[in-house]
Amino acid sequence: MWMRAGAVSSVVCGALYWFQNRAMQADTGSAKTKPCTTSHYELKLVQVLFRHGARTPLKALPDIEQAEWVPNLLEVPAHTLFDYIVTDLKGGPKPPSPVEDRYRTQTLAGGTFPGQLTTLGMQQLYDLGERMRRTYVEEMPYLSPIFCPSEVYVRSTNIVRTIESAKCLLAGLFQQKQEGTVKIFTADSETEILYPNYHGCKLLRVLSSQRWAESSLLPDVAADLKNVLNQLGVQAQKGLDFIHIRDDLVAREAHGLPSPAVLLSWKSTVEQRAVEMLHYIYEPSKRQNLQLCVGPLLHTLMNNIEEKHQDKMKSGRSRKLYLYSVHDTTLVPCLMALGIFDMKWPPYAADLTFELYEHCSSKEAFVKVSYIGQDQLVKGCSDIYCPLQEFKKVLSTYTLDSADYGALCNQSDDVTK
């Protein structure tokens, strides 16, 4: 039955794709359906890691006047609605979400929970979806104009803001048109690979806790933090650092909510020191650290590329787009592994895109990486269109399959590498 349903879906999507191509040819008078007539490369696969949209802060800052995070800031725009269900990775019931459960044990001033996607955040992801539609549906007839499960795979961390962000992106990408209900796949907290999994990886938990504590003691960071806290009248033992202060400040600013004058006067310093702390925590020169943070995810991305290139896709040869709804803490170590981190915190709705191309003449495979819509020259690649073997070599420094990841995670006795 599932095979028949999948076949029917593929036929429907294929028909829509054909009609769309015909319409484009009629409008332009040219063979726009043949990319090799206008480019040296033909697009074969797209994978997008994208950060969720604007949200409520992750925690209230102690002893600082709070913003009012009222429920109407979380209202859902009608144009972002999309029919979806959340499942585990095998299509079964949605796993528990300890992270989301922790958010809902707290209440911010105004009555909402921490870490919740706001109306603004929903619109940001809808806008990203529309941008992708212009690229992959309108400018080139790559995707069908409606959502087809045979073409698009959607994966999210098991947290409400990323799940809702995926839904909003799909609404923008496919203009609320879909063939069947979207399945958004999630993993349980023990096996999640879409963010650095401190809960499921013992060695990463040890390494990260050390580096997080050390990051606050960096000379410039510590001196500036002391000055900020003194001006705020907050004791250092309250556990505040620049990363938490930045999170609250950026969330307020995005939603037009007032911030304490002291924090506004320190805004650029807060941003700079928070990024320095983040860079120290992930430290790209520490290979093992990046492996533990995003090694399994990079392995998955590379595996998808190779399977598509070899035309041996386990999920069906028609798979064209993989969407991964993630976090800033996912994007930063990925950018570091690629050698393209610009020492700027990824904004809400930032996207990191991997495109697989085939050269029209030589049939060689190439990978192109873009970040927030801008093409990137990956460190170790000879060109923006990076030959597949070069790209594979770049990622091989950090990729980990599940067996190697599990073995490394259990080596918590050695934290000096």
Side-chain angles (χ1 to χ4, degrees), residues 54-56 68-77 80 104 108 111-122 160 164 167 255:
R55 52 159 170 72
T56 59
E68 291 290 316
W69 295 97
V70 295
N72 63 10
L73 289 172
L74 278 62
E75 291 179 355
V76 179
T80 67
R104 292 170 188 270
L108 299 171
T112 59
F113 298 121
Q116 302 306 302
L117 191 68
T118 61
T119 306
L120 171 63
M122 297 172 199
V160 170
E164 291 182 345
K167 178 262 296 184
H255 297 91

Side-chain angles (χ1 to χ4, degrees), residues 6-16 150:
V8 170
S9 176
S10 297
V11 169
V12 172
C13 293
L16 285 166
S150 60

Side-chain angles (χ1 to χ4, degrees), residues 22 25 27 95 117 147 151 175 207 260 367:
R22 295 284 292 181
Q25 288 185 41
D27 288 342
L117 191 68
F147 173 84
E151 283 190 353
Q175 297 295 287
L207 289 170
V367 177

Side-chain angles (χ1 to χ4, degrees), residues 255-368:
H255 297 91
L257 297 175
S259 297
V262 170
L263 288 185
L264 289 177
S265 69
W266 282 85
K267 178 182 171 183
S268 61
T269 300
V270 168
E271 184 70 26
Q272 179 184 349
R273 300 307 185 209
V275 172
E276 289 172 2
M277 289 179 64
L278 197 67
H279 186 271
Y280 184 86
I281 291 167
Y282 292 128
E283 183 52 66
S285 66
K286 302 288 186 181
R287 174 172 176 257
Q288 187 183 75
N289 201 36
L290 287 184
Q291 281 185 311
L292 292 171
C293 286
V294 291
L297 172 57
L298 295 176
H299 175 79
T300 298
L301 298 176
M302 194 66 240
N303 195 51
N304 292 340
I305 288 172
E306 290 191 312
E307 285 190 339
K308 185 67 174 183
H309 178 56
Q310 297 166 7
D311 202 19
K312 296 177 181 178
M313 296 288 288
K314 296 177 182 178
S315 54
R317 294 185 179 183
S318 59
R319 186 78 76 211
K320 293 183 174 184
L321 174 64
Y322 285 84
L323 295 172
Y324 297 93
S325 188
V326 297
H327 306 265
D328 47 5
T329 52
T330 313
L331 294 181
V332 170
C334 284
L335 293 169
M336 288 180 174
L338 295 167
I340 58 174
F341 182 54
D342 57 3
M343 291 300 289
K344 295 180 181 178
W345 202 288
Y348 298 128
D351 62 299
L352 178 60
T353 300
F354 301 78
E355 296 175 328
L356 172 67
Y357 288 89
E358 183 178 272
H359 193 276
C360 295
S361 301
S362 67
K363 302 304 178 183
E364 292 178 275
F366 295 82
V367 177
K368 182 160 73 74

